[in-house]
């Protein structure tokens, strides 16, 4: 398994603004997943994007994947204070029984 | 659907004692579960892969005799921290996948905060 590297490490924005987080990885993948972790809680799965997909939406979330650059981005539109959390990307080879390795994440703070 | 329950949510124990943490998949069967630990302001570190009916697979540097994992059924995996020491104090999180293969997200429990005094 490989881990993704999220950038920036921390992001602070005002409510209503958009938040963009980036993820880079090193080798070929089967899919890439994004998770959110609220302080003191477990992770929540947000979106899974397959290697043959370029963009995926879920509500206010938009994920893009560029396999040629080995990078992905997560965009949260019209952010809310409740979006304050850490966000992690996890590239998956798809052949290791679901095993995922996580990087340091992006700590997002949305100020009301 | 896909709920993972972890118990207890927090525990305080004395140095030298053992602590058992349970991870249950409530509405699905999980042949594979994963145990992570997380220190404050740090990422999750994968400790081991728990396979139903067989021995767990530990990541490099994780002591299997100290962190005992048992996955006796398709809905339950347990992690026992044996002879706990203050440096074992951490946030332990389990996760499970509904289908251990391609394109299956992980479902996480809410974690267990262990404090060893």
């Amino acid at each position: 398994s490989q881990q993704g590297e999220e950038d920036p490490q921390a992001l602070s924005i005002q409510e209503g603004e958009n938040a963009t987080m980036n993820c880079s990885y090193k080798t070929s993948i089967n899919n890439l997943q994004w998770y959110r972790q609220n302080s003191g809680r477990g992770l929540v799965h947000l979106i899974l994007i397959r290697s043959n997909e370029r963009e995926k939406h879920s509500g206010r979330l938009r994920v893009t994947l560029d396999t040629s650059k080995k990078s992905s981005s997560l965009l949260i539109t019209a952010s809310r204070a409740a979006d304050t959390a850490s966000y992690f990307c996890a590239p998956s080879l798809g052949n290791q029984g679901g095993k995922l390795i996580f990087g340091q994440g992006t700590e997002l703070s949305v100020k009301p | 659907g896909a709920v993972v329950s972890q118990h207890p949510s927090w525990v305080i124990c004395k140095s030298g004692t053992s602590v058992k943490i349970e991870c249950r998949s409530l509405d699905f069967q999980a042949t594979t579960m994963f145990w992570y630990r997380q220190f404050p302001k740090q990422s999750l570190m994968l400790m081991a892969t728990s396979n139903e009916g067989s021995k767990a697979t530990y990541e490099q540097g994780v002591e299997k005799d100290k962190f005992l994992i048992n996955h006796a059924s398709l809905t339950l995996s347990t992690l026992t921290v044996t002879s706990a020491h203050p440096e074992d104090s951490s946030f332990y999180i389990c996760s499970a996948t509904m289908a251990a293969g391609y394109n299956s997200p992980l479902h996480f429990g809410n974690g267990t905060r262990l404090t060893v005094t």
Side-chain angles (χ1 to χ4, degrees):
Chain A
S1 294
Q2 61 171 315
Q3 71 179 55
E5 299 289 338
E6 294 90 350
D7 176 70
Q9 289 189 353
L11 181 60
S12 182
I13 59 174
Q14 294 293 133
E15 224 172 12
E17 295 180 340
N18 296 342
T20 300
M21 289 158 267
N22 302 297
C23 169
S24 60
Y25 57 92
K26 290 185 166 51
T27 65
S28 296
I29 60 171
N30 174 273
N31 66 73
L32 187 139
Q33 303 174 36
W34 284 90
Y35 290 80
R36 182 187 76 230
Q37 183 182 32
N38 290 89
S39 181
R41 310 281 283 183
L43 277 67
V44 174
H45 176 254
L46 296 176
I47 287 185
L48 182 153
I49 185 166
R50 295 182 173 85
S51 60
N52 61 354
E53 297 176 311
R54 290 296 165 258
E55 189 171 308
K56 205 161 182 180
H57 296 254
S58 176
R60 292 183 296 112
L61 306 181
R62 173 179 163 244
V63 167
T64 62
L65 178 65
D66 187 334
T67 52
S68 67
K69 295 181 179 177
K70 293 186 171 57
S71 67
S72 174
S73 68
L74 169 66
L75 168 68
I76 303 175
T77 60
S79 63
R80 305 167 182 167
D83 295 327
T84 295
S86 292
Y87 292 82
F88 297 90
C89 69
S92 173
L93 297 175
N95 61 354
Q96 295 189 297
K99 176 176 167 179
L100 295 178
I101 307 294
F102 294 92
Q104 292 298 312
T106 292
E107 191 172 338
L108 173 66
S109 174
V110 182
K111 300 189 186 322
Chain B
V3 177
V4 174
S5 174
Q6 193 171 337
H7 179 80
S9 55
W10 61 271
V11 58
I12 302 172
C13 71
K14 290 186 185 298
S15 193
T17 61
S18 296
V19 173
K20 181 185 284 188
I21 302 170
E22 292 187 349
C23 179
R24 293 181 186 275
S25 55
L26 295 187
D27 50 1
F28 67 98
Q29 293 184 331
T31 56
T32 304
M33 291 184 176
F34 303 92
W35 287 95
Y36 294 83
R37 69 185 294 184
Q38 185 178 35
F39 292 106
K41 299 293 185 182
Q42 294 190 23
S43 185
L44 285 77
M45 184 194 84
L46 179 65
M47 299 175 67
T49 301
S50 170
N51 301 296
E52 188 267 335
S54 65
K55 290 183 179 179
T57 304
Y58 291 82
E59 295 297 306
Q60 193 171 9
V62 178
E63 299 175 60
K64 64 176 193 267
D65 294 330
K66 179 163 186 63
F67 299 100
L68 299 179
I69 291 172
N70 184 276
H71 195 154
S73 78
L74 287 171
T75 59
L76 174 64
S77 175
T78 60
L79 168 68
T80 301
V81 182
T82 63
S83 187
H85 291 284
E87 57 264 31
D88 298 324
S89 297
S90 188
F91 191 52
Y92 292 86
I93 313 174
C94 72
S95 66
T97 179
M98 294 178 72
Y102 292 98
N103 302 320
S104 298
L106 293 183
H107 304 282
F108 285 81
N110 275 326
T112 296
R113 179 146 326 269
L114 169 64
T115 302
V116 185
T117 60

